[in-house]
Amino acid sequence: MSQQPGKIVYLRFIDLDKCIGCYTCQAVCDFLHDGRPFIKVYETEIGLRTPLSCLHCSKAPCIEVCPTGAMTRDDTGAVYVDSMKCIGCMACLYACPFGIPELDPQLRVATKCDLCKPLREQGLEPACYAMCPAEAIVYGSPQDIGEKIKKRKAEMIIRARTSGPMLE
Amino acid sequence: MRFTWMCKEPRSTVSGRSKLKISIIGAGPGGLAAAGYLACLGYSVEVYEKQPLPGGMMTFAIPKVRIKDETVLIGVEELRDKFNVVFKTNTKVFGNHEPPKDEGDHFIKNTVNLKDIVEQSDAVLITTGTWQSRRLKIPGENGPGVMSAVEYLYEIRAWEKGLLDHHPHVGDRVIVIGGGLSAVDAALEALEQGAKEVILAYRRTKKQAPAGIYEINSLIRKGVKWMELVSPVEIVRKNEKVKGIKLQKMKLGEPDESGRPRPIPIPGSEFVLEVDTVIEAIGEIATPPLVNNFLGIKLDRKNRIIVDEHYRTTNPKVWAAGDVVTGPSFIGNAVKTGLYAAKSIHIHLSNKLL
Ligand SMILES: Cc1cc2nc3c(=O)[nH]c(=O)nc-3n(C[C@H](O)[C@H](O)[C@H](O)COP(=O)(O)OP(=O)(O)OC[C@H]3O[C@@H](n4cnc5c(N)ncnc54)[C@H](O)[C@@H]3O)c2cc1C
Ligand code: SF4
Ligand code: SF4
């Protein structure tokens, strides 16, 4: 069992109140990974479409159970698979509460969202964040995200309180 | 939306690419996603758009509570200013002798023949979406007070941007016919704009509505009145003005071709509902900038452009993507097909450069 390495410098948060279920995040992720998106929009029984991807947990159970240390964190805090170390045992999938890690059938290793590590290394942003038309995907330091989301919720509460019968 | 999410600046090192011109017809999510990819690779990209601003349905139909103009336009400005993508706005492309009338044609200043664009470009991508709506074809439909969801939303969004000098028609008692995303958005917008009563009427039940139970229930919570198992038979007018709509009750029968139970009219169940505005949201139709077989480009029975698995049309110089190929779908579908089409164009032009 490995220790939880690294600091959390950047986080991604998906604001489901803002999400319009448009599949754009999935589309760019699909394109980037040749038809295998690591953020996917699921249509639930009540017809609500909701994106699901790795949450890059701060105390990630997938890292805890990984016997080889392949599941690890990069220096910004993103959880990713070091495919050289991975033996494809999928213990991470058993441990993940959201069923996120997948087996890459060709490479026979676990694979998952790495918040666009190759793009970030060139100074770019995760693609889903860059392209979401509803600004539902937020990416930044944990503090900034906390502030941004709280501000949005405050707007929502005020909107709900001042619309409809309250103004009549 | 950072349409150039895959690069920091255009690649200037690959010799020859900037001399290759790619023309994109239609600046919705499909065309813009493709423009971003191709501009990153260093091609010279020109985008033709009939509206004064790019963005497609994102800036001219979907309510601003869902998508803000700024989110889309920041990415457009980057394409234009940093990546030298040329936007030819207010320009409608057509492919026969007489440009057809579509919805949202208010701001057209120039028309260009597709033939000239194809001749002057190394590759062309068509992403013109679905700018015509299906109509009910019932008595009383023609005249003021009755419009499609796209027409209704379009005027409101144009007015918000300061593009119209008259206030668009909102209505006091508004009925929206349909159960999909456009119907939901039209009902939401009518509420936002202050209509006194908004009714959403659908010929099947909530369970079959393409927009989903959740969306409809959240509209009901916001104050929209939901009516199911009804179908319009006539729009009642007095001195031109809409006074009401005659609806017929329906019941569900055996599943039809779509797999959903077929709505069957109940004879003698007609009733009139007092409304002043009728919004038809029963589906949009693909609007390619050409007629079937123009330049060898083939359309299917639903007017959609026929493409192969690489989004190439039956003209080897022309590709197509987005809703004009798939019919009404989602922004993500337009982005995805636009990107894959752009990649196919890139592969084709790279071979040409060798
Ligand atoms: C009312 C409504 C609500 C919707 N709500 C949602 C939603 O909530 N979520 C979601 O994911 N999807 C939604 N959609 C669907 C979504 O908008 C479309 O799937 C998407 O915009 C398709 O992208 P596109 O690039 O193919 O076409 P479009 O967005 O339609 O863009 C086509 C562009 O081409 C231009 N154009 C057309 N003809 C010509 C011509 N002859 N010459 C020059 N320019 C031309 C148009 O002006 C337009 O800018 C909605 C659609 C409608 C109509
Ligand atoms: S791109 Fe944004 S709005 Fe669209 S499905 Fe993904 S998170 Fe939701
Ligand atoms: S794979 Fe699962 S457990 Fe691991 S960080 Fe992502 S969401 Fe958390």
Side-chain angles (χ1 to χ4, degrees):
Chain A
M1 296 247 183
S2 39
Q3 292 290 307
Q4 292 283 331
K7 284 192 304 233
I8 312 289
V9 187
Y10 290 113
L11 265 182
R12 173 183 61 184
F13 179 80
I14 306 178
D15 184 348
L16 295 179
D17 286 323
K18 284 253 173 191
C19 174
I20 59 170
C22 72
Y23 296 91
T24 299
C25 46
Q26 174 174 335
V28 288
C29 195
D30 179 297
F31 184 68
L32 200 53
H33 300 104
D34 298 316
R36 293 199 57 177
F38 296 122
I39 180 165
K40 270 189 239 166
V41 178
Y42 289 91
E43 182 163 344
T44 56
E45 231 162 75
I46 54 166
L48 185 64
R49 296 175 303 276
T50 189
L52 190 62
S53 182
C54 176
L55 282 91
H56 299 273
C57 311
S58 298
K59 286 187 182 178
C62 58
I63 297 181
E64 301 276 342
V65 300
C66 178
T68 63
M71 190 64 86
T72 184
R73 207 181 282 288
D74 72 13
D75 53 12
T76 69
V79 177
Y80 77 105
V81 183
D82 180 346
S83 54
M84 295 304 280
K85 288 188 187 163
C86 179
I87 55 170
C89 69
M90 302 313 282
C92 48
L93 174 57
Y94 284 94
C96 173
F98 308 100
I100 297 296
E102 292 173 24
L103 183 70
D104 182 320
Q106 252 110 56
L107 299 176
R108 295 174 184 238
V109 294
T111 166
K112 60 180 278 302
C113 166
D114 60 4
L115 288 176
C116 293
K117 201 162 182 285
L119 291 181
R120 290 186 290 113
E121 281 164 1
Q122 300 171 54
L124 295 160
E125 299 158 335
C128 58
Y129 164 66
M131 281 290 282
C132 173
E135 290 180 5
I137 300 181
V138 190
Y139 179 74
S141 73
Q143 294 82 344
D144 289 353
I145 288 182
E147 275 306 299
K148 200 167 195 168
I149 299 303
K150 284 191 198 69
K151 194 158 181 295
R152 283 188 185 178
K153 303 299 166 191
E155 294 284 350
M156 271 179 59
I157 294 167
I158 292 309
R159 213 176 127 87
R161 281 195 55 185
T162 54
S163 70
M166 292 292 289
L167 280 187
E168 277 167 20
Chain B
M1 293 175 88
R2 217 173 156 260
F3 299 106
T4 51
W5 52 270
M6 62 298 275
C7 75
K8 277 209 133 157
E9 53 224 6
R11 261 202 247 167
S12 50
T13 46
V14 188
S15 63
R17 264 191 210 157
S18 63
K19 290 200 191 74
L20 293 179
K21 188 162 108 186
I22 302 168
S23 298
I24 298 176
I25 327 287
L32 291 171
Y37 175 82
L38 295 166
C40 268
L41 289 168
Y43 292 104
S44 103
V45 180
E46 268 185 26
V47 184
Y48 293 83
E49 170 54 57
K50 69 175 181 174
Q51 308 302 346
L53 285 171
M57 295 288 180
M58 298 191 294
T59 45
F60 281 95
I62 299 173
K64 68 167 192 250
V65 293
R66 291 199 202 270
I67 299 180
K68 286 188 284 183
D69 281 356
E70 303 90 82
T71 314
V72 180
L73 295 178
I74 283 175
V76 169
E77 278 161 24
E78 197 175 30
L79 279 175
R80 190 191 58 202
D81 301 339
K82 201 167 153 193
F83 289 84
N84 303 317
V85 171
V86 177
F87 285 95
K88 300 199 163 169
T89 49
N90 305 86
T91 305
K92 181 159 176 171
V93 177
F94 67 102
N96 55 350
H97 295 300
E98 206 178 313
K101 282 257 174 299
D102 297 320
E103 289 169 355
D105 274 352
H106 297 37
F107 303 106
I108 294 165
K109 290 188 189 139
N110 319 298
T111 53
V112 182
N113 194 314
L114 181 65
K115 188 165 174 277
D116 299 332
I117 298 176
V118 173
E119 269 167 18
Q120 289 154 20
S121 312
D122 294 284
V124 175
L125 173 64
I126 301 175
T127 43
T128 44
T130 53
W131 284 76
Q132 251 169 41
S133 301
R134 284 172 56 200
R135 306 309 301 243
L136 288 167
K137 301 197 175 84
I138 56 173
E141 183 179 40
N142 297 324
V146 181
M147 64 219 87
S148 75
V150 171
E151 286 171 321
Y152 185 76
L153 293 164
Y154 178 81
E155 290 228 329
I156 292 170
R157 303 244 33 202
W159 182 73
E160 280 167 0
K161 297 186 222 313
L163 295 168
L164 287 184
D165 45 15
H166 62 278
H167 194 286
H169 182 100
V170 172
D172 272 338
R173 290 175 59 82
V174 179
I175 187 165
V176 181
I177 312 290
L181 280 180
S182 324
V184 164
D185 278 355
L188 181 73
E189 193 65 77
L191 266 192
E192 288 280 324
Q193 298 294 325
K196 287 202 186 78
E197 184 162 16
V198 182
I199 302 156
L200 185 55
Y202 182 53
R203 60 198 182 124
R204 294 189 176 90
T205 70
K206 219 190 257 179
K207 229 172 112 184
Q208 288 91 32
I213 298 172
Y214 177 86
E215 284 283 358
I216 291 166
N217 282 348
S218 65
L219 276 182
I220 295 171
R221 269 199 304 279
K222 289 189 177 109
V224 169
K225 206 169 143 202
W226 168 252
M227 282 181 96
E228 57 185 24
L229 293 168
V230 288
S231 184
V233 286
E234 187 187 337
I235 289 158
V236 186
R237 289 182 186 270
K238 199 173 163 192
N239 307 327
E240 276 285 284
K241 276 198 161 156
V242 174
K243 286 286 162 206
I245 184 165
K246 192 188 270 179
L247 298 165
Q248 185 172 33
K249 290 189 181 156
M250 312 293 272
K251 62 177 183 203
L252 293 182
E254 291 298 307
D256 60 12
E257 319 84 63
S258 73
R260 295 171 299 176
R262 184 192 300 278
I264 304 167
I266 303 173
S269 66
E270 294 89 348
F271 63 101
V272 174
L273 205 68
E274 211 181 289
V275 293
D276 57 39
T277 304
V278 180
I279 302 173
E280 303 178 350
I282 55 168
E284 292 85 32
I285 306 165
T287 46
L290 56 110
V291 290
N292 194 12
N293 276 324
F294 185 73
L295 305 177
I297 302 169
K298 290 206 163 61
L299 309 178
D300 71 6
R301 273 180 25 238
K302 288 182 167 172
N303 221 31
R304 297 174 299 197
I305 300 179
I306 296 174
V307 294
D308 66 11
E309 70 270 32
H310 304 295
Y311 301 97
R312 204 168 183 178
T313 69
T314 36
N315 179 319
K317 239 177 147 182
V318 182
W319 281 253
D323 283 5
V324 75
V325 168
T326 61
S329 66
F330 291 96
I331 297 163
N333 173 66
V335 167
K336 181 173 156 181
T337 56
L339 284 170
Y340 279 105
K343 193 174 183 175
S344 169
I345 292 176
H346 168 52
I347 292 168
H348 168 75
L349 293 182
S350 301
N351 291 337
K352 227 173 112 174
L353 272 182
L354 286 177

